[in-house]
Amino acid sequence: MNEDFILITGANGEVGHGLIKHLAKVGHKKIIAFSRRPLSEELQPFVSHPLAMDVQDLAGLTELFENHNITTVYHLASILSTKAEHDPVLAHNINVNGTMNLLKLCAMKMEKTGKPVKFIYPSSIAVHAIPNLEVKAQAGKVKENDYVQSTTMYGINKLYCENLGRYFNSHYKQLSYAPDERPYVDFRALRFPGLISADTMPTGGTSDYGPEMIHAAASNRHYNCFVRPDSTLPFMVMPDAIKSLVMLHAADRKRLTQTVYNVTSFSPTAQEIYEVTKAAFPNADIDFVPDVNRQGIVDSWPADIDDSAARKDWDWQPDYDFERAINEYLIPAIRQRYA
Ligand code: AKB
């Protein structure tokens, strides 16, 4: 019971794959990782406890906390934006109730042991909604508190969970304890832009046109891009996403001036992603066939975000700009994957 465990939820997802491999590589041996489906065979050798579990299963989670000294939670489980629009109630149950279950157990652990659990929570650019394309063009680098009136179920869930985390971090049971005696969860959130991985394909997101275009070209599949060529979103490649999660985890709590941080790398248009894809895979068969509803969501998300607070408070800096991401990471790795 004394050994420290890392708990990873949503472990089968894209970020889970990258994070688990990274943590195992740097020597973490005590990792409990679960997804709703049994943990992917590829990941099983890297974790001590591969499980199939749902974040809505409070009894199962309680048992995990009772039987293991969980000191860090990477809470990755989430229904992404496109899927959440098809089943908003399921999204709420998983995205919100699942997060509440975990925060509650972390707070109870601190009440019992006096030791805080570090809770790393990936949020998203989806918390923002910009009213129209003119405002989006003028908005420039959007800060954490700008345009936070999300219009998607997923974005609303993320925003609420950020606030829940802030509550458990600073105000939990504020009427029962003096401010300096309050149990707390060491909650730290970052807002990811669209993510692109060479190893895995995203499922259920609205920024998926970026990775889908490149993977389809590399595997000789036709692709209908569901947004206009001029559509612009911030993106980041998976190695930088993992870097940001572990940097935020390692950051000195005294230096953290906010509970939620933007992180980003580059902001290409869909046309620019098309051009680099075509240059790498000249036979790529890609058409632009915008889907009016998904386009609406992409148009409402910022074209660029301001990550200066993360840079200042925990020295965040991405390793990959667009050029390096494409030429040194994505194209060589994706080529090899489909060779
Ligand atoms: C999605 O498209 O839903 C996600 C996100 C931007 O958080 N990739």
Side-chain angles (χ1 to χ4, degrees), residues 223-243:
Y223 184 62
N224 282 338
C225 177
F226 58 82
V227 294
R228 294 184 313 269
D230 64 296
S231 307
T232 310
L233 285 184
F235 279 96
M236 177 183 274
V237 286
M238 196 53 73
D240 273 333
I242 304 308
K243 176 180 169 177

Side-chain angles (χ1 to χ4, degrees), residues 7 9 34 55 58 61 65 73 75 97-107 119 185:
L7 174 65
T9 73
F34 71 78
V55 282
L58 182 58
L61 291 174
F65 274 78
V73 175
H75 177 33
N97 298 350
T99 305
M100 183 62 166
N101 284 344
L102 288 159
L103 285 168
K104 184 166 80 178
L105 288 168
C106 291
F119 194 111
V185 179

Side-chain angles (χ1 to χ4, degrees), residues 201 209-224 273-287 331 334-335 338-339:
M201 285 283 286
Y209 63 88
E212 281 174 0
M213 200 186 302
I214 306 174
H215 280 265
S219 54
N220 291 317
R221 281 179 291 116
H222 171 76
Y223 184 62
N224 282 338
I273 301 177
Y274 168 84
E275 280 162 17
V276 293
T277 305
K278 261 306 220 191
F281 305 101
N283 294 331
D285 182 15
I286 300 164
D287 290 321
I331 300 298
I334 290 182
R335 240 192 242 291
Y338 293 105

Side-chain angles (χ1 to χ4, degrees), residues 169-301:
N169 189 65
S170 310
H171 309 288
Y172 178 64
K173 289 195 177 169
Q174 56 193 295
L175 298 184
S176 309
Y177 294 96
D180 54 351
E181 284 165 13
R182 255 176 230 155
Y184 65 93
V185 179
D186 187 354
F187 177 88
R188 304 162 180 212
L190 46 73
R191 286 193 191 142
F192 277 141
L195 298 181
I196 314 182
S197 169
D199 300 326
T200 45
M201 285 283 286
T203 44
T206 315
S207 60
D208 293 1
Y209 63 88
E212 281 174 0
M213 200 186 302
I214 306 174
H215 280 265
S219 54
N220 291 317
R221 281 179 291 116
H222 171 76
Y223 184 62
N224 282 338
C225 177
F226 58 82
V227 294
R228 294 184 313 269
D230 64 296
S231 307
T232 310
L233 285 184
F235 279 96
M236 177 183 274
V237 286
M238 196 53 73
D240 273 333
I242 304 308
K243 176 180 169 177
S244 65
L245 286 172
V246 297
M247 279 186 79
L248 180 59
H249 176 268
D252 180 354
R253 185 170 156 89
K254 288 193 221 76
R255 282 183 68 194
L256 301 181
T257 57
Q258 37 196 75
T259 44
V260 181
Y261 289 91
N262 283 347
V263 287
T264 192
S265 299
F266 45 82
S267 284
T269 59
Q271 174 70 22
E272 283 166 331
I273 301 177
Y274 168 84
E275 280 162 17
V276 293
T277 305
K278 261 306 220 191
F281 305 101
N283 294 331
D285 182 15
I286 300 164
D287 290 321
F288 284 92
V289 187
D291 171 298
V292 67
N293 293 330
R294 292 181 96 186
Q295 180 74 62
I297 292 178
V298 169
D299 286 346
S300 77
W301 289 350

